[in-house]
Amino acid sequence: MKTVFVKSYGCQMNVYDSARMADVMAREGYTLAASAEEADLVILNTCHIREKAAEKVYSELGRLRVLKEERRADGRRTEIVVAGCVAQAEGAEIIRRQPAVDAVIGPQSYHRLPALLEEARRAGTEGPRPAPAVDTDFPADDKFRHLPAPSRARVRTRGVSAFLTVQEGCDKFCAFCVVPYTRGAEVSRPVMAIVDEAKRLLEAGVRELTLIGQNVNAYHGPDERGATTGLAGLMERLALLPGLARLRYTTSHPNDMGDDLIAAHRDLPMLMPYLHLPVQAGSDRVLAAMNRRHTADSYRRLIARIREARPDIALSSDFIVGFPGETDAEFEDTLGLAAEIGFAASFSFKYSPRPGTPAADLGGQVPEAVMAERLARLQAQLEQDRQAFNRDTVGRTVDLLIEKPGRHPGQLAGKSPYLQAIQVEGIDAPVGSVVPVTVTGLASNSLFARPAGSDAAAISGMAAA
Ligand code: SAH
Ligand code: SF4
Ligand code: F3S
């Protein structure tokens, strides 16, 4: 039997797509390999968002070329496929740069993977090819044709938490970002396709769904009567499905946080009090140059409304430092805004010029050393805020979704509603159950807890207070 190894380099949707590609190859009789060394087919599911992410792929391909030759010496064949957003952006150029690559496939074509491999085999993997096996087509008609029809989707073993793609692509065109080019125009999946996939996942034991999309809160899919449904309406539908314990969604744009979605954070108990809402920067001049179409103040007001609806909500954000032209004072505005909001979690990056994006051609590119210093300062501040948020949870009783056995015998591991990793002791509950626990202490990346109401929780809870 042939085996496949898929490696993800990107965002949640990239991880989701990797599972779809594994599904497609499973239908061709492939099983999953534990490593690239053992695989007959290696798929690199690439990310183009920053230069570093894209360059990693070429060093990995260099390693795979050697592996391919070694295996060939043993009489075994290795096929190498480059998928994902670098594949979409660079196409056949990848095979010119690394001839060991057999095929290149963009995110909208994964259903065509077996056919494309067939093409590559026919053309032969040695020497120059008449036409490289590349599929980076952008379908105008059915953007989600690469997703398996739910009735045929295989029920595989997965954890209690799963991603579900509801929307793909982005029309926002932030000046720094490749996503509108690699993922194309924003399109929403029909409500019933999502409900059907959700049902299969729940039947397979999933308890928590994270709805994903590059611009997920712009979701506007047709329901079974053809009426346009927003993300809040979609979640109301999903909340009715038996077995579902938790709903989350990511990633959102501030300008698409509608009143109904904010109200859902108040009214839908299943919707977890956590929101990833990237702000990118705190200076209005920089935000305008980024083409974000919101200001620092409109973001502040939005956060105030969200907190009014759900006072305990945990907020997270993405930040870019060193956008072209960013001055010291403008960077201070970012620090100030971050401190003011107090994010529970964050991702922060040095600006990376991406080919084909408007910002790459701007003057005033910020020197590397300045970016490094700004990033270090911002990250120190964000880390303080994260720890402060976690400290505030100590002594509180929260619902814990049990995901797996814990680090040590007798422990179980899971997540709080605020997406904090928790290790709990002194409890015997099945994976997938939700149990109230009292947070008793914290380590750098997780919290410790005891069953709510237990003596141990009372004693250490008091000690922590
Ligand atoms: N809405 C998308 C965002 C993807 S990019 C989603 O589905 O998650 C994730 C983050 O990467 C962005 O929010 C931004 O902070 C960062 N990013 C994007 N382009 C970048 C660039 N050229 N340089 C540095 N960081 C970038
Ligand atoms: Fe990129 Fe902006 Fe779209 Fe997010 S909203 S994917 S940062 S263009
Ligand atoms: Fe990367 Fe593509 Fe996701 S560029 S962040 S894998 S949409």
Side-chain angles (χ1 to χ4, degrees):
M1 194 170 301
K2 286 195 172 182
T3 60
V4 55
F5 183 75
V6 193
K7 183 163 175 182
S8 276
Y9 288 84
C11 57
Q12 291 101 332
M13 192 175 289
N14 181 275
V15 172
Y16 176 92
D17 288 347
S18 290
R20 297 294 79 70
M21 283 189 273
D23 282 347
V24 167
M25 294 319 294
R27 265 183 242 134
E28 304 293 307
Y30 281 71
T31 56
L32 289 183
S35 70
E37 282 69 24
E38 297 160 23
D40 302 302
L41 172 62
V42 180
I43 302 174
L44 300 187
N45 195 9
T46 61
C47 176
H48 201 239
I49 201 78
R50 283 167 290 275
E51 195 181 351
K52 243 197 216 155
E55 281 308 312
K56 255 194 247 164
V57 173
Y58 286 101
S59 51
E60 179 70 7
L61 284 175
R63 213 176 63 81
L64 288 176
R65 180 183 62 86
V66 177
L67 179 73
K68 185 171 180 155
E69 282 162 11
E70 284 169 4
R71 279 177 48 107
R72 189 184 5 233
D74 290 346
R76 287 178 302 171
R77 189 186 162 94
T78 312
E79 291 179 305
I80 302 172
V81 172
V82 178
C85 291
V86 177
Q88 188 62 44
E90 295 185 2
E93 182 57 32
I94 296 172
I95 299 186
R96 276 190 282 279
R97 225 175 125 175
Q98 181 46 271
V101 172
D102 294 277
V104 173
I105 191 161
Q108 257 78 61
S109 306
Y110 296 149
H111 62 292
R112 285 233 324 122
L113 186 55
L116 194 68
L117 279 168
E118 231 5 88
E119 264 173 51
R121 283 168 201 149
R122 272 202 307 275
T125 48
E126 316 293 328
R129 270 171 243 173
V134 175
D135 189 341
T136 50
D137 201 20
F138 257 153
D141 51 337
D142 181 8
K143 187 157 196 163
F144 297 105
R145 60 184 189 173
H146 66 292
L147 301 182
S151 57
R152 285 186 286 122
R154 317 180 133 249
V155 173
R156 300 177 308 128
T157 347
R158 17 185 141 220
V160 296
S161 184
F163 295 131
L164 206 179
T165 291
V166 303
Q167 175 279 338
E168 188 174 353
C170 183
D171 297 337
K172 294 281 190 284
F173 290 94
C174 298
F176 49 79
C177 183
V178 292
V179 170
Y181 312 98
T182 62
R183 292 282 178 169
E186 196 237 295
V187 180
S188 296
R189 258 178 115 181
V191 170
M192 289 321 288
I194 296 165
V195 168
D196 284 349
E197 188 172 336
K199 281 186 186 158
R200 317 256 145 201
L201 290 166
L202 295 170
E203 281 160 17
V206 166
R207 305 291 322 278
E208 173 179 84
L209 289 174
T210 302
L211 309 182
I212 57 172
Q214 274 87 31
N215 216 175
V216 73
N217 59 341
Y219 176 84
H220 61 285
D223 70 6
E224 61 271 51
R225 288 183 210 87
T228 301
T229 308
L231 186 62
L234 174 67
M235 291 194 295
E236 278 166 31
R237 291 287 293 267
L238 293 172
L240 300 174
L241 297 178
L244 184 62
R246 289 181 167 185
L247 270 172
R248 303 179 184 276
Y249 62 91
T250 198
T251 296
S252 300
H253 189 285
N255 291 5
D256 292 315
M257 267 332 276
D259 292 339
D260 56 341
L261 190 52
I262 295 176
H265 278 280
R266 180 190 61 216
D267 301 333
L268 204 60
M270 210 171 269
L271 178 56
M272 289 295 103
Y274 186 99
L275 178 62
H276 184 57
L277 196 62
V279 66
Q280 312 296 358
S283 138
D284 287 346
R285 195 208 56 86
V286 172
L287 287 169
M290 285 177 163
N291 192 31
R292 288 290 292 178
R293 295 183 240 197
H294 60 78
T295 62
D297 239 10
S298 68
Y299 186 85
R300 280 187 194 96
R301 284 196 303 271
L302 176 59
I303 296 295
R305 283 170 54 220
I306 296 166
R307 281 182 165 154
E308 203 180 307
R310 183 77 206 221
D312 66 333
I313 198 160
L315 296 161
S316 73
S317 180
D318 295 341
F319 294 90
I320 295 177
V321 302
F323 186 79
E326 185 189 69
T327 64
D328 284 336
E330 287 165 345
F331 169 67
E332 295 294 331
D333 289 341
T334 300
L335 277 180
L337 182 65
E340 215 179 296
I341 307 270
F343 291 99
S346 309
F347 302 90
S348 45
F349 313 98
K350 290 181 213 162
Y351 168 71
S352 169
R354 306 307 292 131
T357 60
D361 299 326
L362 290 177
Q365 301 283 329
V366 175
E368 170 64 29
V370 175
M371 284 204 277
E373 200 236 77
R374 287 181 188 168
L375 186 65
R377 283 185 64 201
L378 178 61
Q379 288 186 339
Q381 151 97 53
L382 295 170
E383 177 57 17
Q384 267 184 25
D385 294 342
R386 185 183 75 89
Q387 286 178 15
F389 183 86
N390 286 342
R391 256 196 321 275
D392 280 351
T393 325
V394 176
R396 284 183 56 192
T397 296
V398 297
D399 280 342
L400 171 65
L401 172 62
I402 310 269
E403 293 178 337
K404 56 186 179 199
R407 247 175 257 145
H408 304 291
Q411 286 186 339
L412 291 169
K415 297 271 163 43
S416 78
Y418 314 104
L419 215 54
Q420 296 150 303
I422 294 189
Q423 303 274 327
V424 67
E425 227 166 59
I427 207 169
D428 188 18
V431 164
S433 58
V434 177
V435 290
V437 299
T438 302
V439 178
T440 55
L442 71 172
S444 57
N445 283 314
S446 59
L447 304 176
F448 297 107
R450 294 293 190 139
S454 69
D455 288 353
I459 293 161
S460 43
M462 265 162 58

mmCIF file of all heavy atoms in Angstrom, residues 49-50 176-177 179 213-214 251 278 280 318-320 349-352 354, ligand 1:
data_model
loop_
_atom_site.group_PDB
_atom_site.id
_atom_site.type_symbol
_atom_site.label_atom_id
_atom_site.label_comp_id
_atom_site.label_asym_id
_atom_site.label_seq_id
_atom_site.Cartn_x
_atom_site.Cartn_y
_atom_site.Cartn_z
ATOM 1 N N ILE A 49 2.722 34.014 3.187
ATOM 2 C CA ILE A 49 2.356 35.249 3.873
ATOM 3 C C ILE A 49 3.565 36.139 4.190
ATOM 4 O O ILE A 49 3.487 37.349 4.095
ATOM 5 C CB ILE A 49 1.524 34.966 5.156
ATOM 6 C CG1 ILE A 49 0.719 36.188 5.576
ATOM 7 C CG2 ILE A 49 2.355 34.467 6.331
ATOM 8 C CD1 ILE A 49 -0.511 36.409 4.790
ATOM 9 N N ARG A 50 4.681 35.526 4.600
ATOM 10 C CA ARG A 50 5.910 36.272 4.843
ATOM 11 C C ARG A 50 7.047 35.573 4.125
ATOM 12 O O ARG A 50 6.969 34.376 3.852
ATOM 13 C CB ARG A 50 6.208 36.379 6.340
ATOM 14 C CG ARG A 50 5.349 37.408 7.052
ATOM 15 C CD ARG A 50 5.423 37.295 8.559
ATOM 16 N NE ARG A 50 4.766 36.101 9.024
ATOM 17 C CZ ARG A 50 3.451 36.001 9.262
ATOM 18 N NH1 ARG A 50 2.679 37.043 9.107
ATOM 19 N NH2 ARG A 50 2.920 34.870 9.649
ATOM 20 N N PHE A 176 -0.231 45.178 2.496
ATOM 21 C CA PHE A 176 0.925 44.297 2.743
ATOM 22 C C PHE A 176 0.658 42.839 2.390
ATOM 23 O O PHE A 176 1.566 42.016 2.419
ATOM 24 C CB PHE A 176 1.315 44.368 4.234
ATOM 25 C CG PHE A 176 0.135 44.182 5.167
ATOM 26 C CD1 PHE A 176 -0.371 42.929 5.440
ATOM 27 C CD2 PHE A 176 -0.470 45.289 5.751
ATOM 28 C CE1 PHE A 176 -1.471 42.759 6.273
ATOM 29 C CE2 PHE A 176 -1.569 45.135 6.593
ATOM 30 C CZ PHE A 176 -2.071 43.869 6.847
ATOM 31 N N CYS A 177 -0.593 42.468 2.067
ATOM 32 C CA CYS A 177 -1.012 41.067 2.198
ATOM 33 C C CYS A 177 -1.190 40.341 0.864
ATOM 34 O O CYS A 177 -1.773 40.873 -0.081
ATOM 35 C CB CYS A 177 -2.323 41.039 2.985
ATOM 36 S SG CYS A 177 -2.921 39.383 3.316
ATOM 37 N N VAL A 179 -2.863 37.416 0.589
ATOM 38 C CA VAL A 179 -4.025 36.509 0.602
ATOM 39 C C VAL A 179 -5.037 36.776 -0.522
ATOM 40 O O VAL A 179 -5.508 35.829 -1.169
ATOM 41 C CB VAL A 179 -4.690 36.493 1.995
ATOM 42 C CG1 VAL A 179 -6.027 35.769 1.968
ATOM 43 C CG2 VAL A 179 -3.760 35.830 3.006
ATOM 44 N N GLY A 213 -12.135 31.020 7.910
ATOM 45 C CA GLY A 213 -12.165 31.733 6.641
ATOM 46 C C GLY A 213 -11.174 32.870 6.756
ATOM 47 O O GLY A 213 -10.910 33.327 7.863
ATOM 48 N N GLN A 214 -10.610 33.324 5.627
ATOM 49 C CA GLN A 214 -9.644 34.437 5.701
ATOM 50 C C GLN A 214 -10.344 35.696 6.188
ATOM 51 O O GLN A 214 -9.717 36.593 6.725
ATOM 52 C CB GLN A 214 -9.020 34.701 4.327
ATOM 53 C CG GLN A 214 -7.818 33.821 4.039
ATOM 54 C CD GLN A 214 -8.245 32.502 3.438
ATOM 55 O OE1 GLN A 214 -9.240 32.429 2.737
ATOM 56 N NE2 GLN A 214 -7.483 31.465 3.708
ATOM 57 N N THR A 251 -10.632 34.016 10.858
ATOM 58 C CA THR A 251 -10.198 35.281 11.397
ATOM 59 C C THR A 251 -11.130 36.387 10.921
ATOM 60 O O THR A 251 -11.581 36.365 9.786
ATOM 61 C CB THR A 251 -8.768 35.589 10.912
ATOM 62 O OG1 THR A 251 -7.876 34.629 11.426
ATOM 63 C CG2 THR A 251 -8.310 36.946 11.358
ATOM 64 N N PRO A 278 -7.713 41.090 14.453
ATOM 65 C CA PRO A 278 -6.439 41.778 14.191
ATOM 66 C C PRO A 278 -6.621 43.278 13.989
ATOM 67 O O PRO A 278 -7.533 43.706 13.285
ATOM 68 C CB PRO A 278 -5.943 41.122 12.896
ATOM 69 C CG PRO A 278 -6.559 39.763 12.897
ATOM 70 C CD PRO A 278 -7.921 39.965 13.521
ATOM 71 N N GLN A 280 -3.472 45.247 13.688
ATOM 72 C CA GLN A 280 -2.238 45.467 12.900
ATOM 73 C C GLN A 280 -1.378 46.630 13.400
ATOM 74 O O GLN A 280 -0.166 46.497 13.495
ATOM 75 C CB GLN A 280 -2.511 45.675 11.402
ATOM 76 C CG GLN A 280 -3.454 44.663 10.751
ATOM 77 C CD GLN A 280 -2.932 43.235 10.728
ATOM 78 O OE1 GLN A 280 -1.824 42.956 11.159
ATOM 79 N NE2 GLN A 280 -3.745 42.290 10.257
ATOM 80 N N ASP A 318 -3.453 40.415 15.727
ATOM 81 C CA ASP A 318 -2.191 40.358 14.987
ATOM 82 C C ASP A 318 -1.640 41.784 14.881
ATOM 83 O O ASP A 318 -2.425 42.738 14.769
ATOM 84 C CB ASP A 318 -2.407 39.859 13.550
ATOM 85 C CG ASP A 318 -2.885 38.421 13.472
ATOM 86 O OD1 ASP A 318 -2.715 37.686 14.455
ATOM 87 O OD2 ASP A 318 -3.425 38.044 12.414
ATOM 88 N N PHE A 319 -0.312 41.897 14.900
ATOM 89 C CA PHE A 319 0.346 43.193 14.739
ATOM 90 C C PHE A 319 1.466 43.083 13.713
ATOM 91 O O PHE A 319 2.140 42.055 13.642
ATOM 92 C CB PHE A 319 0.992 43.647 16.060
ATOM 93 C CG PHE A 319 0.006 43.932 17.149
ATOM 94 C CD1 PHE A 319 -0.381 42.926 18.014
ATOM 95 C CD2 PHE A 319 -0.515 45.207 17.318
ATOM 96 C CE1 PHE A 319 -1.292 43.180 19.045
ATOM 97 C CE2 PHE A 319 -1.418 45.472 18.335
ATOM 98 C CZ PHE A 319 -1.805 44.464 19.199
ATOM 99 N N ILE A 320 1.663 44.155 12.970
ATOM 100 C CA ILE A 320 2.835 44.253 12.092
ATOM 101 C C ILE A 320 3.645 45.460 12.547
ATOM 102 O O ILE A 320 3.083 46.555 12.686
ATOM 103 C CB ILE A 320 2.412 44.437 10.621
ATOM 104 C CG1 ILE A 320 1.666 43.188 10.132
ATOM 105 C CG2 ILE A 320 3.627 44.724 9.744
ATOM 106 C CD1 ILE A 320 1.150 43.302 8.705
ATOM 107 N N PHE A 349 4.502 40.450 14.074
ATOM 108 C CA PHE A 349 5.450 40.140 13.006
ATOM 109 C C PHE A 349 6.190 41.390 12.560
ATOM 110 O O PHE A 349 5.645 42.489 12.621
ATOM 111 C CB PHE A 349 4.694 39.604 11.778
ATOM 112 C CG PHE A 349 3.676 38.554 12.101
ATOM 113 C CD1 PHE A 349 2.321 38.878 12.224
ATOM 114 C CD2 PHE A 349 4.057 37.235 12.295
ATOM 115 C CE1 PHE A 349 1.374 37.899 12.521
ATOM 116 C CE2 PHE A 349 3.118 36.257 12.595
ATOM 117 C CZ PHE A 349 1.775 36.585 12.703
ATOM 118 N N LYS A 350 7.421 41.172 12.051
ATOM 119 C CA LYS A 350 8.096 42.245 11.320
ATOM 120 C C LYS A 350 7.482 42.292 9.931
ATOM 121 O O LYS A 350 7.228 41.245 9.328
ATOM 122 C CB LYS A 350 9.582 41.918 11.153
ATOM 123 C CG LYS A 350 10.386 41.969 12.405
ATOM 124 C CD LYS A 350 11.835 41.646 12.050
ATOM 125 C CE LYS A 350 12.496 40.917 13.188
ATOM 126 N NZ LYS A 350 13.700 40.214 12.801
ATOM 127 N N TYR A 351 7.301 43.500 9.427
ATOM 128 C CA TYR A 351 6.773 43.642 8.069
ATOM 129 C C TYR A 351 7.701 42.928 7.075
ATOM 130 O O TYR A 351 8.915 43.059 7.127
ATOM 131 C CB TYR A 351 6.653 45.124 7.707
ATOM 132 C CG TYR A 351 6.399 45.315 6.239
ATOM 133 C CD1 TYR A 351 5.171 44.979 5.682
ATOM 134 C CD2 TYR A 351 7.406 45.787 5.391
ATOM 135 C CE1 TYR A 351 4.946 45.111 4.324
ATOM 136 C CE2 TYR A 351 7.186 45.927 4.037
ATOM 137 C CZ TYR A 351 5.961 45.577 3.507
ATOM 138 O OH TYR A 351 5.743 45.687 2.154
ATOM 139 N N SER A 352 7.097 42.171 6.185
ATOM 140 C CA SER A 352 7.858 41.457 5.161
ATOM 141 C C SER A 352 7.313 41.846 3.790
ATOM 142 O O SER A 352 6.135 41.622 3.508
ATOM 143 C CB SER A 352 7.688 39.950 5.407
ATOM 144 O OG SER A 352 8.181 39.187 4.335
ATOM 145 N N ARG A 354 6.104 41.676 0.227
ATOM 146 C CA ARG A 354 5.694 40.532 -0.584
ATOM 147 C C ARG A 354 5.524 40.939 -2.038
ATOM 148 O O ARG A 354 4.860 41.953 -2.319
ATOM 149 C CB ARG A 354 4.380 39.936 -0.050
ATOM 150 C CG ARG A 354 4.385 39.566 1.416
ATOM 151 C CD ARG A 354 5.542 38.661 1.808
ATOM 152 N NE ARG A 354 5.472 37.330 1.240
ATOM 153 C CZ ARG A 354 6.479 36.718 0.605
ATOM 154 N NH1 ARG A 354 7.629 37.334 0.449
ATOM 155 N NH2 ARG A 354 6.336 35.508 0.147
HETATM 156 N N1 SAH B 1 -7.350 37.304 7.616
HETATM 157 C C1 SAH B 1 -6.270 36.389 7.495
HETATM 158 C C2 SAH B 1 -4.983 36.967 7.833
HETATM 159 C C3 SAH B 1 -3.905 36.088 7.345
HETATM 160 S S1 SAH B 1 -2.412 36.743 7.553
HETATM 161 C C4 SAH B 1 -6.508 35.086 8.209
HETATM 162 O O1 SAH B 1 -7.280 34.277 7.752
HETATM 163 O O2 SAH B 1 -5.894 34.767 9.234
HETATM 164 C C5 SAH B 1 -2.186 36.677 9.317
HETATM 165 C C6 SAH B 1 -1.425 37.861 9.779
HETATM 166 O O3 SAH B 1 -0.150 37.892 9.157
HETATM 167 C C7 SAH B 1 -2.040 39.197 9.429
HETATM 168 O O4 SAH B 1 -3.081 39.551 10.279
HETATM 169 C C8 SAH B 1 -0.868 40.119 9.526
HETATM 170 O O5 SAH B 1 -0.673 40.569 10.858
HETATM 171 C C9 SAH B 1 0.313 39.219 9.162
HETATM 172 N N2 SAH B 1 0.840 39.551 7.839
HETATM 173 C C10 SAH B 1 0.202 39.505 6.654
HETATM 174 N N3 SAH B 1 1.005 39.937 5.663
HETATM 175 C C11 SAH B 1 2.179 40.271 6.236
HETATM 176 C C12 SAH B 1 3.403 40.802 5.739
HETATM 177 N N4 SAH B 1 3.569 41.086 4.459
HETATM 178 N N5 SAH B 1 4.415 41.008 6.631
HETATM 179 C C13 SAH B 1 4.245 40.741 7.942
HETATM 180 N N6 SAH B 1 3.114 40.247 8.458
HETATM 181 C C14 SAH B 1 2.085 40.020 7.628
#
